[in-house]
Amino acid sequence: MAEDAITISKSIFHRRASSLITQWKSDRRSGDALFAGATSFSLVLGKSDESTSFQMHASLQSSLLGYEFPATLMLFTVDSIHVVTTKKKAQYLEPLRGGAVPIEIYVRGKDADENAKQFEKCSDIIKKAGPKHGIISKVDPIGPFVDEWKKCLDALSGDIEQVDISPGVSQALAIKDETELRLVREAARASSGLTHKWTYEELSEIIDEDKRITNKEFAEQINNKIDDVKAFEFMRKISPNFDPNQLDWALQPIVQSGGKYDLKLKAESDSSELHQGTVLIAYGFRYQNYCAHVARTYMVEPNSSQQAVYKTLFMVYESVLKTIKDGVTAKSVYEKALGVLKAKKPELEKHFTKTVGYAIGLEARDSLMTLNATNNRVIKDGMTLAVSVGFADVKNPHSQDKKDSSYSLLIADTIRVQKDGNAVFTKDASADLNGVSFFFQDNQEEKEEKTKPKKDAPSTRPGTQTRTRGERATNQDAEKEKARQEHQKALHQKKQQEGIERFSQKTGALNGVEEKKFKRFESYKRDNQFPSRTKDLVICVDERAQTIILPVMGRPVPFHINTVKNASKNDEGGYTFLRLNFLSPGQGVGKKDDQPFEDPNAHFVRSLTFRSKDTDRIEGITKQITDLKKSAVRREQEKKEMEDVVEQDKLVEMRNRRPHRMEPVFIRPGLEGKRLAGGIEIHQNGLRYVHQTGQKVDILFSNVKHLFFQPCDQELIVIIHVHLISPMMIGKKKTKDVQFCREATENAFDETGNRKRKHRYGDEEEFEAEQQERRRRAQLNKEFKQYTERIADAGRSEGLNVDIPFRELGFNGVPSRSSVLVQPSTDCLIQLTEPPFLVITLAEIEIVHLERVQFGLKNFDMVVVLRDFQKPPIHINTIPVEMLDGVKDWLDSVDIPFSEGPLNLNWGAIMKTVTSDPHAFFEDGGWSFLAADSDDESGDGDDESESDFEMSDDEIGAMSQESSEADSEIDENASDDASEGGGSAESEDEGEDWDELERKAKKKDRDTALDKDDDEGSKPKGKPNGKPMKRR
């Protein structure tokens, strides 16, 4: 932290110092149980060392000052505090004078004698205070400053007794005020939120896709999420002032699996492969120095024994939570948990952890405040505890392999102690059995089928009921689906006819596509413009003329840099070779460099090679040519990018009255320099944004294509968005979208509250904060909407209208780099939250194709083909399959033809075919090739779900009898498995399982004498193929 940013809160210092001294005095009156009768005590820090950071002495100083001050002594008496420190630190401490607790500051300098006198003064204060001086015995700070103070204390050993005050300091740190409780809660919510929103989902994907990853690699992936600010966006909705940059690790991520478990905090992730059995994950964040822990045990297909053990552990965990409240002892909490365990499963007592929790806060673990069988410390209101219960090395009676022969279970949460109970800060991460278990979908459905009652009569349909994505309402409402298909068929026919009429046969061979021409580059007009060095017949690079002059057959020959493909050098023998490759027609170097022949009979130079003994010169020439080529390519790209930028007319300012102005607002893309807010003004023919630095951005109404207002409901910002007809330059950035926004959260919001909220704590304070947040958002929406309507009124002559997205019709997708909410509006499909922004005008859409629409996939993709075929199709990827019906309904409602298919298509090749001859494309059926796949797929689904074929009861009975006889001929033992699966009719619906098919194959092999040496009792260990995992 920068030195000028250090600010110590005087009120917090004196409040916490007064509380510490009050507890000290109270302990002296009640028997000196915590402070051991100390009449004074000292707190000393030596050199700054990460290994000693957040130990008890450093934690107490951090609690009082908010920072750690190395080489600083704090001497406490019941009446005052004396501080010995350096001059720079003393300046930060000066504002603390004149508070509830008197404070004296002694400034150390370079004079050793003067420094010794300061310690002598401290010795006199200790003698005057009384015969016992308190120290934190288990802490051993280092450094010359500490050594000097120790010598001073040793000199007092004859008169003063040193006593350990660690229990008293531990008690003082354990009881927290509202500010500290809020910081612990933020750390806990960030820990459990990451577990719930990322860690669990990532583990699900690893299990679902059977990825090979080690425990250590997975732990490193979790560890890297701390640098991903977007991973903590959920915290901004819970706590508007949360700053993810303040997060640090209190407990580094630990991932354990495969039978090797250690339930201690110092455990480490090993390099063995993550085993899909029992996976233990633990970690915790530190937010502004305050810690929180969370741990969960995830089980893949747990057997009945493992489920019973976990239920017992969860029961013990709940008993601990019920027992913890103000006034109970740490010992009684452990005894209650042990009593519940003995009553339920006494055989697990030997596997139970020796503690069920510990105090947490500035220290990641307070060893003096543990919930074990011997600690008589009393739990107080305001403490924060990490509740941690577990079983270590439990034997698995139904293990599938050696790694699953034993397992461990652990549940850990961070809680706050209250008078009548406690509040769990990490409740977002589910800890019950249903929340931590994974089951194969087919096994789960098999269990569900066992509980279903048998039907009295067989179904009248021989086919099975089709399981579809998320029980889609489309298949439940056949009439609606049929009406949509008919409407889409009419839209496709209309689009086909429009395409034929739009592109006639008179459009030419390339149908309007500009024919590529051979480019000519001129280096010099006259020979006297050559550089003077060309007379020496050496290789010369002329940067001014963008030319390389090469000696060829005794003559200097210029080659423009745009004709050069690349240059390379290599050493061979005693020579260095320079090779120059040139661009030439028919070279096949890619689409961008494709050059047509101007004269088929012409000859082109493909490459030239030169050799020299001067290695340094060849290397310099190569670098010159490469740099010249890079600059030429860069200029060409910049020129191409600026082709469509149109210079706007001048803004006509409002003269007769002051323009309507709204501030503060931020502009995106941002201007150069520091990010500061500005104001937006409405003038006669456009908008003007004025930055605090004086920079101005003008937008004319004649260049505005769409005007959007997006409210801040469930968003972090409220937005006015302008989509332009022609791009414009903002600073050095070219953009077609300009956005004016303001954050919906109030960063300057006072968490301590005013006098009215001074004595409110917990849920009441949160409720009032939520109400105030809701009112603030409503006011922002009203202000921005009114201003957007004023902009539309001012630009009414240019046809401006306000468009507001329909959030209820939105769907998540990835149009660029990250998953965002894409929302339809009246005229567009937009995404305005994260750059790059997405604005697709509905009237410019030719057709929409939905890719990867097939059973078993969780996501599908959307491809939007525009009416301007020269523009590439727009892709919105990874849309959740649950949104499929909603997307289809919306597309159909706005009369956009769509199709769907199971695969991703090569749209580059498709659009090349379309643009080469659009008329022939539509004559050959146009986009019907997309709808063909969709019709085939939907037709198959209709046959399965709505078959017109029905059978009589006699025919069904005969078919069932024939089927059962055929099964008995194949395998006599199959009837046992069928009965376990819930009956032959139901097992036929699901198909034969993996093990049954394997047994039949082995029996057939034995009958044909092809598998004599196989072990008949062996059993396959593979997972059912193609079945996704799902959370129980």
Side-chain angles (χ1 to χ4, degrees), residues 334-352:
Y334 185 82
E335 290 175 346
K336 178 66 175 178
L338 196 60
V340 173
L341 179 60
K342 289 180 178 180
K344 298 297 180 182
K345 283 187 177 293
E347 66 274 13
L348 292 175
E349 182 182 354
K350 61 183 179 180
H351 302 286
F352 192 50

Side-chain angles (χ1 to χ4, degrees), residues 301-302 307 434 437-452 990 1024 1027-1032:
E301 287 197 295
Q307 293 183 45
N434 290 337
S437 300
F438 296 90
F439 290 91
F440 281 115
Q441 186 175 7
D442 56 344
N443 294 346
Q444 181 69 8
E445 291 174 354
E446 184 179 346
K447 294 178 182 178
E448 293 173 357
E449 288 177 0
K450 289 181 181 180
T451 62
K452 293 181 181 179
E990 292 298 319
K1027 293 292 185 179
M1029 302 288 287
K1030 72 174 185 179
R1031 182 177 179 176
R1032 178 177 173 177

Side-chain angles (χ1 to χ4, degrees), residues 403-421:
K403 291 185 177 181
D404 200 31
S405 59
S406 66
Y407 60 95
S408 297
L409 303 176
L410 180 66
I411 304 174
D413 278 306
T414 302
I415 70 169
R416 172 199 170 170
V417 181
Q418 297 174 331
K419 288 187 176 181
D420 299 325

